[in-house]
Every structure is written in structure tokens, then in C-alpha cells.
Amino acid sequence: SYLDAEEGCAGLHRELYQFCAYVQPCEAELSIRTQLLEQITCLLDSLCPGIVVEPYGSTACGLSLFNSDIDVRVKPKMPLEVVARALSGTSWARCVDLVPARVPIITFEHRHTKLTCDLSNFTDDEGDNATEVMVRLCRTQPMMQPLALFLKVFLSYHSLDRVYTGGLGSFKAYMMLGYWLEQCCKPKPSKLNRVEDAGVAICRFLVYYVERFKYDSVIELDGVATDFSRVRSVQEIKDVFRSTLNCLSKGCGL
């Protein structure tokens, strides 16, 4: 059974944590991101004194990769056309583009570091609540960060992370993981709270979303909900999860 043998996953546990350490931004990379936020804040403060530039999403909850875009927003709202013109006039922002999506954003590349930044001016309580849920999960669930980073790269590798093509997207993947950790880890919860069990945890997560979860249902955590009505690749996701589970379980001796 996938759920019985636990000692065989020590190697997988070590590899998951090594992988987590590798894909996270290092201190120098975090410092560069902080400096970029300060540059944006300084620029916009010259136009609107007191403006706040803050990270959100994966950047805010510590689930970004070393090569992730930086997602930031400005408060209070500023006309994005004004922000785009200001960025275009600097020596450090290039390829500035105002994208007229459902939630309009400005994308640009930092000339010196090649980091890509997505800037928006939305003021959305639901978005704030979602970030708070992810921050809490990372703080209270030892498995959240390593498994979330693995899942993020895993879905990207299989091209299942792109929302606009019917993929999951990071937020839904985080919600799936958080829901499983908090609502479904009933067997041996004390053991699942130990870091030694990361290998078993990822296998159990895959089992749940291959065999048990109903994708026409809604996941809710702390009043934040998500559904899968726009995820067109559910069967493909399940197939990839299943094949990965088979490989991992053989390696673990499960």
C-alpha cells in the first residue's frame, strides 16, 4: 500500500529538502529583489508621496523560485498608464508593457538583473486573504513549503501550471496542498508533522488527488475558496500524478 511503508522514504525526504533549498532564492538573490522593490517605491513615491509598493502571492508567502517573476502591487491605486510611462523613463526598466487583462498589469524586465516584474494596482480583500492563508500554512505546516515548491516546479515541467491553457496555476496547487495537509492527513498525524516524512507525504498527496478527490467540488481554507471549473486539464493532471506516484512508490519501496 502507498500508505503503509514509511521507512523507505528517507531518501526521498532528503532529496525533497535538498531540492527545496536549491530552487529557493538565496540571500543574495533576495537582497536583489528587495533592492528592486526599493527602486520601484522610490520612483512611484516621487509621483505620489506615501505610495506603498508591496509583494503579493508567492513572493509574499515565501514560495517563489530563484527564477520566479516578482509580483508587486501599489497602494493606493495609481493609473497604470502613468506608472508605465514613469518606468519607461528610467535607465533600469526595459520592455515595459501594459497588459489589458481582466486585472491589468504592467510587466517589465529589470535591465541589470534580468528579473521580470509584474506590477498591478488591484485592491482586493480576497487576494489579501489568500496570501494570509498561504503565509499561515507555511508557518504552521512543516510540509507546506518543500512540497509546494516541488509541486510548483513539477507542474511547470509538465506544462500544467498555465492558467490560460486550462492548467492549475500556483494558487490552486497551493490550495490543494494546504487542504490536504489540514483536512485529509488524518492517518498518523503526529508522524506527518515530523520532517522525516516528506517522502510519505508527497505520495499520500498524489494518492488523494488521483483516487479520492472530486474535481467538481470546492476547496475552502479560512474562508478562501477555489474550484476547478476552469481547469480543463484535470485528466492530464491525474495521469501525470499517477505515473509520478508509481515511480516514487517504487523508489520508496511502498
Side-chain angles (χ1 to χ4, degrees), residues 6-129:
E6 300 196 7
E7 296 303 323
C9 284
L12 179 57
H13 156 75
R14 288 191 298 270
E15 291 186 4
L16 282 168
Y17 274 84
Q18 289 168 356
F19 180 79
C20 177
Y22 175 74
V23 300
Q24 284 183 295
C26 65
E27 289 298 323
E29 290 164 334
L30 288 173
S31 177
I32 289 171
R33 289 165 180 259
T34 300
Q35 291 172 27
L36 176 53
L37 285 175
E38 291 171 352
Q39 278 187 306
I40 298 171
T41 302
C42 184
L43 172 68
L44 299 187
D45 189 68
S46 68
L47 302 174
C48 180
I51 196 78
V52 174
V53 179
E54 62 182 13
Y56 69 95
S58 298
T59 303
C61 53
L63 294 175
S64 61
L65 308 175
F66 66 85
N67 60 346
S68 290
D69 296 347
I70 302 176
D71 297 318
V72 299
R73 64 178 178 176
V74 296
K75 290 182 177 180
K77 280 190 173 184
M78 288 182 65
L80 290 183
E81 294 83 359
V82 174
V83 176
R85 282 197 300 271
L87 287 167
S88 297
T90 68
S91 61
W92 46 266
R94 61 185 299 272
C95 302
V96 179
D97 185 24
L98 176 54
V99 182
R102 183 176 63 87
V103 178
I105 62 170
I106 296 171
T107 68
F108 70 92
E109 182 183 277
H110 189 241
R111 188 181 300 275
H112 306 299
T113 63
K114 309 302 181 187
L115 284 171
T116 300
C117 183
D118 294 340
L119 185 149
S120 69
N121 64 358
F122 76 92
T123 54
D124 181 1
D125 290 340
E126 185 176 346
D128 290 339
N129 293 340

Side-chain angles (χ1 to χ4, degrees), residues 144-176:
M144 183 66 190
Q145 187 183 54
L147 298 191
L149 292 174
F150 166 78
L151 192 59
K152 187 170 184 173
V153 176
F154 174 83
L155 291 170
S156 175
Y157 177 80
H158 290 283
S159 300
L160 295 172
D161 61 327
R162 301 167 188 166
V163 176
Y164 57 88
T165 60
L168 274 179
S170 294
F171 173 67
K172 288 188 189 299
Y174 298 159
M175 287 290 285
M176 290 169 69

Side-chain angles (χ1 to χ4, degrees), residues 172-210:
K172 288 188 189 299
Y174 298 159
M175 287 290 285
M176 290 169 69
L177 181 57
Y179 178 81
W180 178 78
L181 285 169
E182 296 216 318
Q183 305 297 323
C184 308
C185 287
K186 302 304 182 185
K188 305 178 183 178
S190 61
K191 289 190 175 183
L192 273 172
N193 285 332
R194 298 201 324 257
V195 295
E196 290 85 4
D197 296 319
V200 172
I202 190 62
C203 288
R204 287 179 172 170
F205 169 84
L206 294 172
V207 166
Y208 180 75
Y209 284 103
V210 167

